[in-house]
Amino acid sequence: QAFLRAHRHHHFAIGIEISFREIYQLTRVVVGTGIIQIILTAAAVYPLGVYVLNMHSEEAAVLGLVAALSSTMVVLKTLSDRGELHSLHGRILTGVLLTQDLAFVPMIALLPALSGGNFPTDLGIGLLKAGVLLGLMAVLGGKAIPWLLGRITSMGSREIFIVTVVAVTFVSAAATESLGLSAALGAFVAGLLFSETEFGHRALSEVVPLRDTFAALFFVSLGMLTDPGFLLDNFDRVLPLIAAIVFVKFAFTALLVRGFGFLPRTSLLTGLGMGQIG
């Protein structure tokens, strides 16, 4: 629970700090790099699963898809701490990670298909849900959130303002999660909607203490999910696998960003950001 709450709060705060306009200006590189990197990484990791770890083809396919995803939380926390969210590589990374969150929908639809489900139908329904929900949130949020915050601000209570911001975040996160998308994506979209209003900076300043607390909880809960015994017993398999995946993702991402015409420094920094596994 703490893990999920931390995830939601942090994504909301990041969403406020980024604006739709910044992401839109980089759409081509963001979507291109995001999608091609997932396909290339999954294709590169698949044979590792089959031939090195002796997995079934379905298991290796899932491993490939999982390895292709990077941790939005870790990257954005690092960028935020270093003050690089608005740098060029920071904006590209944010957009690519958002693309990955959206790509999670067809991935989830793929899983039943790998065990004999109906992939085209599952995928179509998943994408339709995502499109309708994000569209609704953008339309309603663009009108309702500024009106609501205006009314709350006129009451002059700081506490009610904070509670409202947190409530909108949780409703948005719950809405995306109920449709099989990630809760973090819903919280991120709520943050984006706040960033487009005149109250964005105030909302951010009120939420920052919460964000820092939940970010600490997030990393603690990650540590608690790790099984040290398993790690020690399988070090000879885990370490080379991680090294291979990190190198593959770094190389693919850096080359793709360079291919879209960005400078080597930006390409390398973006590749380093995407190297880890979510």
Side-chain angles (χ1 to χ4, degrees):
Q1 289 293 321
F3 177 88
L4 289 170
R5 280 198 296 272
H7 213 58
R8 285 197 286 266
H9 268 85
H10 195 77
H11 276 71
F12 169 72
I14 297 294
I16 294 183
E17 290 185 53
I18 303 287
S19 80
F20 275 121
R21 284 183 291 277
E22 286 185 354
I23 294 174
Y24 183 74
Q25 288 164 356
L26 296 164
T27 303
R28 202 167 58 94
V29 62
V30 156
V31 175
T33 303
I35 293 171
I36 299 168
Q37 182 272 135
I38 288 173
I39 295 166
L40 291 178
T41 305
V45 173
Y46 177 81
L48 283 176
V50 174
Y51 300 113
V52 180
L53 300 175
N54 300 317
M55 290 178 160
H56 295 299
S57 56
E58 291 88 352
E59 290 172 331
V62 173
L63 178 71
L65 291 174
V66 168
L69 296 175
S70 300
S71 171
T72 311
M73 179 82 165
V74 172
V75 177
L76 297 185
K77 173 90 176 89
T78 307
L79 287 172
S80 180
D81 288 349
R82 291 168 61 88
E84 293 177 7
L85 267 178
H86 295 281
S87 65
L88 187 54
H89 64 276
R91 285 180 292 161
I92 295 172
L93 276 168
T94 304
V96 171
L97 291 162
L98 190 58
T99 305
Q100 284 194 356
D101 276 349
L102 289 169
F104 196 61
V105 182
M107 283 189 194
I108 292 294
L110 250 178
L111 293 181
L114 289 170
S115 57
N118 188 350
F119 173 61
T121 313
D122 291 340
L123 179 59
I125 292 169
L127 291 174
L128 187 67
K129 280 180 184 175
V132 169
L133 182 77
L134 294 174
L136 267 175
M137 284 168 75
V139 172
L140 288 175
K143 296 278 186 288
I145 288 179
W147 176 83
L148 179 66
L149 289 182
R151 295 297 295 270
I152 295 295
T153 305
S154 66
M155 293 168 73
S157 168
R158 176 173 172 258
E159 288 78 9
I160 296 177
F161 182 83
I162 296 171
V163 169
T164 305
V165 169
V166 172
V168 170
T169 311
F170 275 103
V171 167
S172 180
T176 49
E177 189 163 40
S178 66
L179 289 181
L181 298 160
S182 81
L185 179 65
F188 183 83
V189 172
L192 280 179
L193 294 173
F194 274 107
S195 78
E196 298 298 312
T197 72
E198 60 191 286
F199 306 102
H201 289 294
R202 183 184 168 191
L204 180 63
S205 65
E206 299 287 14
V207 169
V208 161
L210 280 175
R211 177 187 72 176
D212 294 341
T213 307
F214 279 112
L217 269 178
F218 171 80
F219 289 108
V220 168
S221 55
L222 267 186
M224 290 168 74
L225 288 171
T226 308
D227 180 356
F230 177 85
L231 203 58
L232 287 169
D233 294 341
N234 296 276
F235 220 62
D236 54 332
R237 295 167 80 188
V238 174
L239 212 60
L241 183 68
I242 292 172
I245 293 172
V246 168
F247 176 75
V248 161
K249 289 179 76 171
F250 161 71
F252 284 156
T253 307
L255 289 170
L256 283 165
V257 174
R258 186 80 181 101
F260 278 103
F262 289 86
L263 293 172
R265 182 177 181 275
T266 303
S267 308
L268 286 172
L269 288 169
T270 309
L272 286 169
M274 290 299 296
Q276 38 71 37
I277 311 155

